[in-house]
Amino acid sequence: MAVERTLSIIKPDAVAKNVIGEIYARFEKAGLKIIAARMAHLSREQAEGFYAVHKERPFFNDLVGFMTSGPVMIQVLEGEDAIRKNREIMGATNPKEAAAGTLRHDYAESIDANACHGSDAPETAAQEVAYFFADDEICPR
Ligand code: RTP
Ligand code: MG
């Protein structure tokens, strides 16, 4: 299994719940390393650019509004099978369908306020990491 990088965002609802540390502990217990991290309050332009793939979807405006409603914690995770592993830790997009013990089951309120983001494939992971981090801000070890 290849060592991969994936982009993770702790969304405004989970930052407001003060569970950044608990979420980081789950990444680390699963063998994922945090190799870059930054807190930011995204502008509308940043959120629209990040979610550009969804811009024709009916939920796009709500998604951008939510992602700009408060600070987010953005990180690059590295490890074996990191993209799939992170999405397994997150659980289903809709917290009502998320398995017990996943982040969305434990911390999310709704499909909009769903606690976390994770890249869904190697190509999108590379694009999303580069969207938020310059090469010299990433510290693999
Ligand atoms: P994410 O990109 O945030 O990691 O979530 P995901 O892959 O599980 O879901 P995706 O299909 O990429 O959708 C991005 C975010 O848009 C919101 N959404 N709302 N109302 C709806 O039907 C709907 N569908 C998606 C969710 O907040 C989702 O995380
Ligand atoms: Mg997605």
Side-chain angles (χ1 to χ4, degrees), residues 35-98:
I35 61 168
R38 180 168 86 244
M39 185 170 266
H41 194 145
L42 299 181
S43 67
R44 193 157 182 97
E45 292 66 34
Q46 280 177 308
E48 284 176 351
F50 182 73
Y51 278 119
V53 65
H54 292 311
K55 68 174 182 291
E56 306 302 333
R57 310 284 288 276
F59 57 80
F60 182 68
N61 257 322
D62 287 346
L63 176 60
V64 169
F66 174 65
M67 290 300 287
T68 56
S69 66
V72 295
M73 191 74 201
I74 311 166
Q75 43 282 324
V76 180
L77 308 177
E78 185 175 77
E80 298 251 321
D81 202 16
I83 296 166
R84 190 198 57 76
K85 227 181 234 178
N86 181 40
R87 289 182 69 88
E88 191 175 293
I89 292 166
M90 288 169 28
T93 308
N94 185 346
K96 291 192 181 78
E97 293 162 11

